[in-house]
Amino acid sequence: MSMRQGYRGYCTHNSFGEYRMPVPAQNILFRDYANKYGLYLKLSVNELFFKDCFLHLFAMLEELEELDGVLMCSIFMLPEDTKLRQKVYERFLESDCELHFVLESIIIKNTNNVDELEQIFTINQLLDEKTIMNQLS
């Protein structure tokens, strides 16, 4: 078994949730977060600039055994599709690798954390549906 070698950032050029943040700003956020918590930060992976593209995210999942964790700016950088999100969670849990969401101060370390995060996605979806219904009436 190899030694784990720090935390890797995951950046996107796309909007996530209500946010749109330039990649250099995401990297500054990761650096500050890593410094605050004493984490060793490796170079970030930058996702391709296509809507709903997660090519580099899924490629990074193959190297999780070599990492202590991954940093993302927001939970909304994860795929909207529940099945794809579940694949991401499963891969992190089976590799014993942490997933940090900097803006929300959420860390995925176990299935309880995943369940709590999925509750947030469910509530967010219900709020979006209610907003649409209110706009239609």
Side-chain angles (χ1 to χ4, degrees), residues 46-62:
N46 296 329
E47 192 55 78
L48 299 174
F49 192 21
F50 298 106
K51 183 172 173 38
D52 297 325
C53 180
F54 299 99
L55 183 69
H56 289 158
L57 173 62
F58 282 98
M60 187 172 53
L61 296 179
E62 299 305 315

Side-chain angles (χ1 to χ4, degrees), residues 71-84:
L71 307 181
M72 290 187 183
C73 287
S74 174
I75 62 175
F76 298 108
M77 292 174 80
L78 290 170
E80 285 185 34
D81 182 87
T82 305
K83 289 180 183 177
L84 288 178

Side-chain angles (χ1 to χ4, degrees), residues 27-37 41:
N27 280 308
I28 290 169
L29 191 67
F30 295 153
R31 185 194 65 211
D32 290 348
Y33 182 86
N35 286 338
K36 180 178 180 180
Y37 294 102
L41 182 62

